[in-house]
Amino acid sequence: MLAPLSILAVMALVATLLNPGREDFAWFLRLRRPAWLSFEGLIPFIWIAIYACFYGSALLSWRASGSWPLMLGYLVLLLLVQSYTLLICRTRSLRNGTVVGFAGWVWGLALTIAVGPVSAPGWLLLVPYLLWSPVGTLVTWQMQRLNR
């Protein structure tokens, strides 16, 4: 019972600490988006699903291996993912978001490869992030061009 609560507590703490303030986020919301981004209202729900997958993957990996290095890998991925919006908002630079988004995808791929031999379900639960992350990075890259 300790592992599920600990993983959840760490995720909630990181999400809380790396959340931009209202004023910063309001700036981000005022930026122009690509015309093809018609599903923006679904993005928060997509991220909730991805975070649930992170949680399930980390829990399954922990139960299968008890590996602290893997848990550190999940923490680094969470820090990269959660810092994306905060970094964009604080620096007012979409380029920083593109870089962090790409770095998160590379780290996520490495973590997925590391989790593969330990937990097949854990590996599969990281795939939604690997599929979604390039979409977010592409949106950010295109937003750079629209918001010079």
Side-chain angles (χ1 to χ4, degrees):
M1 188 61 163
L2 185 59
L5 291 177
S6 298
I7 292 169
L8 194 58
V10 168
M11 290 180 73
L13 182 66
V14 168
T16 301
L17 292 176
L18 295 182
N19 220 7
R22 282 186 176 183
E23 187 177 312
D24 287 333
F25 196 63
W27 170 85
F28 179 73
L29 291 176
R30 286 191 301 269
L31 296 174
R32 291 192 327 247
R33 270 96 170 128
W36 57 265
L37 188 61
S38 59
F39 55 90
E40 188 172 12
L42 297 176
I43 291 174
F45 299 106
I46 292 168
W47 275 111
I48 289 169
I50 287 172
Y51 274 93
C53 288
F54 281 177
Y55 173 77
S57 177
L59 187 57
L60 290 168
S61 296
W62 176 255
R63 287 185 175 159
S65 70
S67 170
W68 285 105
L70 273 182
M71 293 303 104
L72 181 60
Y74 282 100
L75 177 60
V76 170
L77 180 60
L78 184 61
L79 290 169
L80 285 167
V81 169
Q82 192 63 36
S83 66
Y84 161 85
T85 305
L86 179 68
L87 187 62
I88 289 173
C89 290
R90 291 268 171 91
T91 65
R92 302 289 203 255
S93 171
L94 290 162
R95 182 175 182 269
N96 290 339
T98 302
V99 170
V100 169
F102 180 71
W105 183 83
V106 169
W107 188 266
L109 181 61
L111 181 62
T112 302
I113 291 168
V115 169
V118 173
S119 171
W123 177 91
L124 286 171
L125 285 170
L126 290 171
V127 171
Y129 170 72
L130 294 177
L131 296 174
W132 175 253
S133 179
V135 174
T137 302
L138 174 66
V139 168
T140 308
W141 178 73
Q142 288 196 346
M143 284 175 66
Q144 276 180 256
R145 299 168 71 205
L146 295 171
N147 298 279
R148 295 192 182 260

